[in-house]
Amino acid sequence: MTIHVLLVEDDELLVKRIINHFAQTEFHIEIDATGASALELVRCRENNHNAISLAIVDIVLPERDGLHLAKELNTLTNIGVIMLSSRDSQADRIAGLAQGADDYICKPVDLLELELRMRALYKRLKSNNDNDESEEFIEYADFKLHPDNRTLITTNGIESRLTEAEHKVLICLISNAGKATPREKISEEIGQPDWSPNDRTVDVLIGRLRKKLSDEKDQKRIVTVRGKGYMLSI
C-alpha cells in the first residue's frame, strides 16, 4: 500500500532529509516547493487510487501564504494537514489550528516525530473514511455531528468538516452540556495539558466552532461563562 503525501516546502535540505527518511516506507513524498499548484493537484486526484492523503505545509512559502493554503486544503474532506514552522510561538500554533490544520510541528523537524504524527493522523483519517457510510449521528439541539468523519450539519442544512481539534472541543462540550467546561479541561482534550491563562488556543477553536454552528454573532449555542469557561446551552 502506498500513501501519497504532498510536501509543500522550499527548504531543499529539509526536503532531501524527508525524502531519504521515508524512502523505505509506505509514504510516497511528492514535492511542491512553492505551493502554487498544491490545491489543484490535490483536487484533480481526489478519490483516485493515487489520491493525496496527507499534506505537510510550511507556513512561509515563496509564492503564497501557507496558512491560507491550509485553510483551502481544509475544505477537502479526505486530506490531513500538518503545518511546519520555524517560529515556535503560541501565535503561530494558534494561527495554524485556526486555519484548519490537523497538527503543527516546529522546525528543526525531528523526522521520527514527523513520521509518528503522520502515521497517527493517517490512521485517524482512514478510520473516519472507513466509517463514512455509517448514518450514526450525534444529534444535539439544532445541529448534528457525525463522529466518524467529523461532519457537522446545522439545522439550516449547512455542512462543514471539523478539524481534529475542533471535533474534540465540540465532543467535550456535548459531554458536559448545560454546565461550564473549564478551558483547562478543553485544553487537555486537544492534547495540550499545560494550559495557562495566556493561552488563546481554546478561544480560537471556540470561535471557529461558533462560526460553523452559525453562532458567531449572538453566541447562544456556545456560551462564555465568565471565570469558568464555555458551556453548550441546552
Side-chain angles (χ1 to χ4, degrees), residues 17 71 78 81-82 91 97 110 152 170 173 176 210 224:
R17 289 179 60 224
K71 183 177 182 179
N78 294 323
V81 180
I82 299 175
L97 291 172
D110 182 302
L152 176 71
L170 186 54
L173 292 176
N176 296 276
R210 281 175 170 157
T224 301

Side-chain angles (χ1 to χ4, degrees), residues 176-193:
N176 296 276
K179 60 183 180 181
T181 305
R183 288 178 173 84
E184 298 94 319
K185 179 175 177 58
I186 298 174
S187 185
E188 289 178 3
E189 290 296 324
I190 62 174
Q192 296 179 18

Side-chain angles (χ1 to χ4, degrees), residues 19-202:
I19 290 176
N20 290 337
H21 179 85
F22 289 99
Q24 303 302 318
T25 71
E26 68 271 38
F27 292 103
H28 176 67
I29 309 297
E30 303 181 40
I31 313 300
D32 179 356
T34 65
S37 59
L39 196 63
E40 180 181 356
L41 174 63
V42 172
R43 279 177 172 162
C44 74
R45 287 169 51 178
E46 195 174 14
N47 299 320
N48 293 341
H49 71 280
N50 61 346
I52 301 295
S53 298
L54 303 174
I56 304 170
V57 182
D58 190 4
I59 284 183
V60 180
L61 297 170
E63 293 188 13
R64 67 177 308 171
D65 181 0
L67 289 173
H68 185 66
L69 175 58
K71 183 177 182 179
E72 293 177 313
L73 289 170
N74 184 245
T75 65
L76 306 176
T77 59
N78 294 323
I79 185 171
V81 180
I82 299 175
M83 300 297 300
L84 299 181
S85 176
S86 58
R87 299 173 293 192
D88 183 10
S89 72
Q90 181 188 136
D92 290 314
R93 175 166 51 83
I94 289 175
L97 291 172
Q99 295 300 339
D102 293 287
D103 207 344
Y104 184 98
I105 296 179
C106 295
K107 295 180 179 180
V109 177
D110 182 302
L111 296 179
L112 180 56
E113 179 187 5
L114 175 61
E115 180 179 348
L116 291 175
R117 294 202 184 193
M118 287 167 59
R119 291 188 183 282
L121 179 54
Y122 178 76
K123 183 178 181 180
R124 291 197 301 270
L125 293 171
K126 187 176 186 302
S127 176
N128 293 341
N129 292 336
D130 288 345
N131 288 297
D132 275 354
E133 299 302 319
S134 171
E135 296 298 327
E136 295 293 331
F137 280 90
I138 296 173
E139 296 193 31
Y140 184 92
D142 53 357
F143 69 86
K144 57 183 181 179
L145 173 67
H146 196 304
D148 294 322
N149 60 24
R150 308 199 308 268
T151 298
L152 176 71
I153 304 176
T154 62
T155 188
N156 53 7
I158 297 176
E159 183 175 319
S160 56
R161 172 186 179 259
L162 301 184
T163 66
E164 185 77 10
E166 292 166 357
H167 180 257
K168 288 180 178 179
V169 172
L170 186 54
I171 289 294
C172 182
L173 292 176
I174 291 174
S175 300
N176 296 276
K179 60 183 180 181
T181 305
R183 288 178 173 84
E184 298 94 319
K185 179 175 177 58
I186 298 174
S187 185
E188 289 178 3
E189 290 296 324
I190 62 174
Q192 296 179 18
D194 300 324
W195 181 85
S196 71
N198 295 323
D199 192 331
R200 311 310 297 175
T201 303
V202 171

